[in-house]
Amino acid sequence: MMDSDSVVRIPLRRLAVVTVSLPFGAFFLCIYLSLRHNFDLSTATHCGVPNYLPSISSAIGEFVPQRYIWRAAIAVHSAPRFLIAAMYNSFMSRILPNIKFYRVSTCVCVLECAHILYRLYKETGDIFEVPGTEHYPPPPPPQTKGL
């Protein structure tokens, strides 16, 4: 019989397998879709060297269906990681009530998951953009003096 204070009971092993399988399966699905639909674009290089598989960044972030599949899998994958951090915090507070150092590792885990979600939906070019400079034209190219 279930405890009176538990709402849902999920075996930790099953939760761990599902959590690990989401990015793993999404990664191989993205590579398959890149090879199937965008083979020439995903394996092209600027120096003309032939590639037979796309790079990771090309497979998961360059083409539209793959990008959304990857983002959805990582977003769903992060929810159990937040849950495991909360479970760890609860467990450690019961077995070590006088020692509060475990809260540091819980905070680091939560910050890591939050940063992964932030980086997932924030494009790299948007992160390094300086506010207020988007209206200025780029500087002119340097002048070379003739001999």
Side-chain angles (χ1 to χ4, degrees), residues 34-93:
S34 293
L35 290 174
R36 177 91 168 103
H37 298 291
N38 305 100
F39 180 78
D40 293 333
L41 293 173
S42 66
T43 58
T45 61
H46 67 282
C47 58
V49 176
N51 282 339
Y52 302 106
L53 287 174
S55 65
I56 293 173
S57 60
S58 175
I60 65 174
E62 197 167 326
F63 305 106
V64 173
Q66 293 91 319
R67 183 183 314 153
Y68 295 131
I69 290 169
W70 180 252
R71 285 180 178 181
I74 295 300
V76 172
H77 161 263
S78 66
R81 292 184 64 182
F82 284 118
L83 179 65
I84 288 172
M87 289 171 33
Y88 174 78
N89 188 30
S90 174
F91 176 73
M92 293 304 280
S93 68

